[in-house]
Amino acid sequence: RSLGTERADVDGRSVDVLHVGRTALFYLAADGGTAGRWDPESGKWQELPHKHVSEVRRGLRMARDISAPDLLRLPMPAAGAGS
């Protein structure tokens, strides 16, 4: 129900991290060229296919109140993942 954002370091590069409630974490590299998500099962960041870059960028804009809330189409972890 909530979105948040923060600046972080992932694998030695500066990224913007998108928090989707308590469910998922996504990042967008500072250069805007790559996106990824946190995999709770492996405990590592996984790079996402390029088709998800624009959705992560849109989610960051919503979290910063730059654009209106809307539906995001992002690959979410399966129910029960990480438990």
Side-chain angles (χ1 to χ4, degrees):
R1 290 184 180 209
S2 65
L3 296 174
T5 183
E6 67 180 281
R7 179 74 59 153
D9 185 63
V10 171
D11 299 329
R13 58 187 168 164
S14 182
V15 300
D16 290 312
V17 176
L18 172 64
H19 300 255
V20 180
R22 290 186 275 170
T23 306
L25 295 171
F26 297 91
Y27 75 79
L28 180 67
D31 66 6
T34 57
R37 73 172 175 182
W38 179 254
D39 178 14
E41 288 188 21
S42 68
K44 296 180 182 179
W45 290 99
Q46 295 179 332
E47 192 167 320
L48 291 172
H50 189 39
K51 67 182 182 179
H52 296 294
V53 169
S54 63
E55 280 298 287
V56 174
R57 183 179 296 116
R58 218 164 55 85
L60 288 165
R61 291 177 59 81
M62 285 189 264
R64 293 178 179 136
D65 293 325
I66 296 171
S67 65
D70 198 2
L71 179 68
L72 287 173
R73 297 186 184 274
L74 292 168
M76 299 297 284
S83 52

